[in-house]
Amino acid sequence: MKSKMRSIAFINQKGGVGKTTSTANVGACLATLGKKVLLIDLDPQANLSIHFGINVQGKDSSIYEIMCGKKAVSDVLIKSSLPNLDIIPSDIDLASAEVELVNTVGRETIVKFYLEGMLEDYDYVLIDCPPSLGLLTLNALTVANEIFIPLQTEFFALQGVSKLIQTFDVIKKRLNGKLEITGIIPCMHDSRTKLGQAVLDKIKEYFSDKVFSTTIRKNIKLSESTSHGVPVTEYAPDSNGAQDYVALTKEIMSMKRKK
Ligand SMILES: Nc1ncnc2c1ncn2[C@@H]1O[C@H](COP(=O)(O)OP(=O)(O)O)[C@@H](O)[C@H]1O
Ligand SMILES: [Mg+2]
């Protein structure tokens, strides 16, 4: 029996906290475990696309063209080298979307408008967001039913989180009643430092049972794998990074869902 699709936005308006690394590697693990996965790159930096060795720079074939109504989703969608894993890539043109769409009616739901209908073909739709709470992230939050927040277990981890939750509240009230924050991913964790452990405790105090039991440890293989254009499970299957993302993915798959 085909399970119902889950759509998850990885958001945090801070950069460098592990959004893209988590989207890419959870996506790859889900696909390896037999799930049909769609990854949507909504960051003009296109790091998620690059993670899978995809570069559509200058080809006029990214999520931006879909949002402008210039291309059909099927013309932009790319099958990755992993079976079961498709990607809608991004490129730097997307950076101008915010300004260009400022007078467009329904601009917060434009991605949803063009993608609806094809999302149900997948078991999981994962959306990588840019480091802001602007129009692109709002679009992600109208497509997704769930939010995962990656947090780096460093001193300023919770700074800005209340603003993020305010944004979530407004979107839930006005645009997407189904939206829930369902998972907090502690990233780049260094368990050897007292600070790392103290911040992790604070995160658990703040978000209680929403925090995944798996913490993603600091692991150089995670950044190395990006430059090779492959997920860490392929680049260094025995590394801590690979083990942590496999464990996290299994936890995600076993989450009980509210009706
Ligand atoms: N657990 C980790 N250990 C070591 N480096 C990591 C880890 N997670 C991410 N990185 C690296 O940190 C940088 C920022 O991560 P990234 O996922 O791109 O963050 P974001 O998408 O939130 O900006 C990247 O260079 C990435 O390779
Ligand atoms: Mg990123």
Side-chain angles (χ1 to χ4, degrees), residues 1 24 30 44 53 83 88 96 98 100 125 137 144-145 183 185 190 195 198 211 218 220 231-232 259:
M1 194 183 72
L30 284 167
I88 297 181
S96 56
E98 205 117 349
E100 284 173 22
V125 174
T137 297
N145 288 338
I185 311 173
D190 189 346
L195 179 65
V211 184
K218 255 191 196 141
I220 188 71
V232 72
K259 284 278 164 256

Side-chain angles (χ1 to χ4, degrees), residues 90-132:
S90 153
D91 79 359
I92 195 67
D93 290 347
L94 188 59
S96 56
E98 205 117 349
V99 175
E100 284 173 22
L101 297 171
V102 74
N103 289 318
T104 304
V105 175
R107 59 192 174 279
E108 295 93 351
T109 52
I110 213 155
V111 173
K112 181 179 162 145
F113 175 79
Y114 285 111
L115 264 54
E116 224 163 21
M118 57 89 69
L119 299 178
E120 294 293 332
D121 295 345
Y122 295 90
D123 298 309
Y124 286 85
V125 174
L126 309 184
I127 311 169
D128 187 27
C129 294
S132 82

Side-chain angles (χ1 to χ4, degrees), residues 14-21 23 41 43 45 47-48 128-131:
K14 263 191 208 178
V17 296
K19 288 183 290 296
T20 304
T21 306
T23 314
D41 192 347
D43 186 350
Q45 302 292 328
N47 291 349
L48 181 68
D128 187 27
C129 294

